[in-house]
Amino acid sequence: MKSFVGTIFLLLILISQPVTAQITAELDSISVTSSRITTSVSESGKSVAVITQKEIEAMPVTSVDDLLKSIPGINVNSRQGFGVQSDVGMRGSTFSQVLFMLDNVPLNDPLTAHFNTNIPVSLGEIGQIEIIRGPSSASFGADAVGGVVHIKTKMYMQREVSKPNGLLSYADADLSYGQNNLRMGDLSFELQQDRWRLSTSIRGVFSDGEQLENPGFEAGVSDQRHYENYFELANFSTSLSYRMNERWSWYVRGGVDDRDFSARYFYTRSEFDESVEQISSRWILGAITRDTGQNRTEMNVSYRNVNDIFDFNSRIGIAPNEHTTDQLFLNLSHEFDLGSLGSSSISESRLMIGAQMLDKQIKSTDRGDHSDRMGGIYLIGSASWESGFSMTASSRLQFDTQNDPELLPQLSVAYNRGDVTLRSSMGRAIRVGDFTERFISSQIENLAPLRNIGNPDLRPERSWTFDLGLDWRPTNRTLISPTLFYRTSTDLIDYALTNSSNINNANNLQPDEDYFYTMNIASSNTAGAEFLASQRFNIGSQKTVRTEAGYTWIRTSGNEGEVSKYIANHPKHQFSFTVDANMNRFRITSESSYRVRSSETTDLIDGDVPDGYFLTNLKLQYAFSGWPLTAYVQGLNLTDTQYQEILGAPMPGRWLMGGVKIRIR
């Protein structure tokens, strides 16, 4: 049945002439900061996708990680739906090798990259999401190996814009209810007057969860025949910006993000696993900008405190683990507009110099108390010529308290000729092991065999990536975009079964027993191809049809045989297909995907990652005439596909919901 559905899906893609990608066909109309210097997509030389606020509103999704699943080149392995937790890789990278950013500051969690998609703002506050494929460590620092997901709020994007028309106010509400007592609310409010802007938002997602068979009951280690994978997610955020004059502006945003959810089989394959997890985050970020037209200076700062309580199974006497992390980030950059540099052939050139610092600290019951500091000094230059050629070159000296300094170069070029843009980029990137990889279980006395044990002496992961692609725009509503990429990586971090006699930096192990020890054990080569295509049609007054299709092929191989499932935990083939029909007041959006990957099973916890699965989501909306009201119904996983993306963690089956959107302008 799966093969039949997949075949039908592929045929639909092949026979469908109108196709579109998540990036818009009008590449020159979108500005991005793929190298920190603002440029158009067509001149960046990078493979960049942009999701706009209007596209977010239309798509049948409930979280940022849902939004990313249809983007070619991105692989998302979720443990639950609705934004509970997902691991996001890019171009075959591990989930630790993608840098998430919010308003120009990093979101990556110092405890574990499993928390990187804990996005602390509501969907209604997001103005634009930029997905930058390929290495970006030269511009943004460590972790940007596979690429960058940069979330920009509407207030951050508009902080330097004045509204001279007096007081303006906006309010949006998105309320829905669905199966399994699902309650979702996304509320946002904006107030603008002259140079002031204020916004506040609150988001909540709550459900009793699906009732699932308990493998522990069959194994005789639990008296509960079923369990419910419940979740309770809530965040609150507020921001304030002020444009002091034509040159100076400042912006500040802060909030809280609280999560309580069933984490059973999220991280282990034990029949004793009855995990629940609570994550509480408090954060603030800000920016000060001075722009004279010729020169631009920006300072970004952020602070985040996260408390994580993980209860594996306190009913059998295992005490919960508690981790508290603090992260302080500071970035200062200055950009010069160099103009034509005295050459009639150069149309524009810019130079940016900058420095950044990241201070990370942890207090943990099983990992201990530690602190790290890392930072870098970077130089970025860009130029474009009248002939259509553009180039961006970057270099960073990256340093941290645990390793020697690293030089990270990067180069991207583009050539625009009529309706075709040729682009290519190359760069070096690194990733430093997080607190979990370096210190997990280090404070547990007489650690039981076959548990994970950290390695404080890990070396950074290092990689070089090359890509080559083109964007063809035969019409201003059409885009066809293929890309080839290749990455070679060394010192990759993974857990390897190791005898305690060969572990010399841990003193809590039992003699002559085996443990899963974190090591720099692998080198790998990843090759792949991405294909995007898009088309938009006007079929009458206020009636448009937009379709999207994408395909990704990835192959990862090791220098010494097959690499581990952790390092190569990505689909081999990934197809996506979206149709968005806007018929005046009625709108229908369908999003489908088919993934082919390596299967994995374990009977112990009923774990089954299939070798291929088809998913489709559907959203129907109707806007009432004369009213600021839109009603919708939405179905997720309409085919009720039973699947897992992380072994042991069942993904939601068919889930139906309905709701209303209220917009007051």
Side-chain angles (χ1 to χ4, degrees), residues 130-385:
E130 298 173 10
I131 296 98
I132 306 163
R133 303 180 185 89
S136 298
S137 286
S139 298
F140 298 104
D143 297 345
V145 178
V148 176
V149 178
H150 193 173
I151 300 164
K152 296 181 179 180
T153 62
K154 292 183 288 186
M155 293 291 286
Y156 178 76
M157 297 176 67
Q158 300 171 6
R159 68 193 187 282
E160 298 176 66
V161 179
S162 299
K163 292 287 187 180
N165 299 323
L167 180 66
L168 296 174
S169 60
Y170 308 85
D172 294 295
D174 187 343
L175 306 172
S176 60
Y177 182 82
Q179 289 179 286
N180 305 306
N181 196 26
L182 174 69
R183 294 143 289 154
M184 296 180 60
D186 196 319
L187 312 175
S188 60
F189 170 79
E190 297 180 23
L191 186 67
Q192 306 176 15
Q193 184 170 27
D194 299 328
R195 301 176 183 270
W196 289 95
R197 290 172 179 264
L198 171 70
S199 76
T200 299
S201 69
I202 185 170
R203 176 174 173 81
V205 185
F206 310 94
S207 174
D208 297 337
E210 297 172 298
Q211 189 177 80
L212 303 171
E213 296 288 337
N214 183 7
F217 180 82
E218 295 296 329
V221 299
S222 173
D223 58 359
Q224 299 175 345
R225 182 179 295 273
H226 301 93
Y227 72 95
E228 293 180 336
N229 55 349
Y230 77 94
F231 50 88
E232 299 176 357
L233 317 177
N235 65 57
F236 169 83
S237 173
T238 188
S239 71
L240 180 67
S241 68
Y242 179 60
R243 190 175 188 191
M244 294 176 280
N245 52 47
E246 295 303 312
R247 296 186 175 184
W248 286 91
S249 64
W250 58 262
Y251 162 79
V252 63
R253 174 181 291 276
V256 298
D257 184 277
D258 291 328
R259 297 164 179 263
D260 183 352
F261 53 89
S262 169
R264 193 175 297 218
Y265 313 123
F266 275 24
Y267 317 113
T268 81
R269 302 175 186 179
S270 169
E271 67 269 33
F272 292 97
D273 190 345
E274 297 184 6
S275 300
V276 296
E277 191 161 12
Q278 297 175 337
I279 307 172
S280 180
S281 172
R282 307 292 182 266
W283 59 279
I284 187 170
L285 61 83
I288 299 176
T289 307
R290 181 180 184 269
D291 193 336
T292 66
Q294 296 295 317
N295 297 278
R296 178 180 175 85
T297 304
E298 181 169 346
M299 183 176 71
N300 305 97
V301 62
S302 70
Y303 170 76
R304 188 174 71 215
N305 170 269
V306 179
N307 180 254
D308 172 59
I309 301 176
F310 177 73
D311 186 351
F312 175 78
N313 191 338
S314 57
R315 296 201 313 155
I316 60 174
I318 299 178
N321 287 331
E322 183 170 0
H323 323 284
T324 300
T325 58
D326 295 279
Q327 181 164 283
L328 175 66
F329 172 79
L330 178 65
N331 180 81
L332 180 63
S333 64
H334 185 74
E335 181 179 336
F336 306 87
D337 186 344
L338 303 178
S340 65
L341 292 176
S343 173
S344 59
S345 63
I346 297 178
S347 59
E348 184 180 26
S349 63
R350 284 170 289 177
L351 182 69
M352 175 182 285
I353 58 174
Q356 71 178 46
M357 183 273 293
L358 184 64
D359 184 86
K360 302 182 289 186
Q361 299 185 34
I362 184 174
K363 294 182 178 180
S364 169
T365 55
D366 81 317
R367 292 158 174 78
D369 300 346
H370 307 278
S371 63
D372 279 344
R373 181 170 295 173
M374 63 177 58
I377 302 171
Y378 55 90
L379 179 67
I380 306 170
S382 70
S384 56
W385 282 259

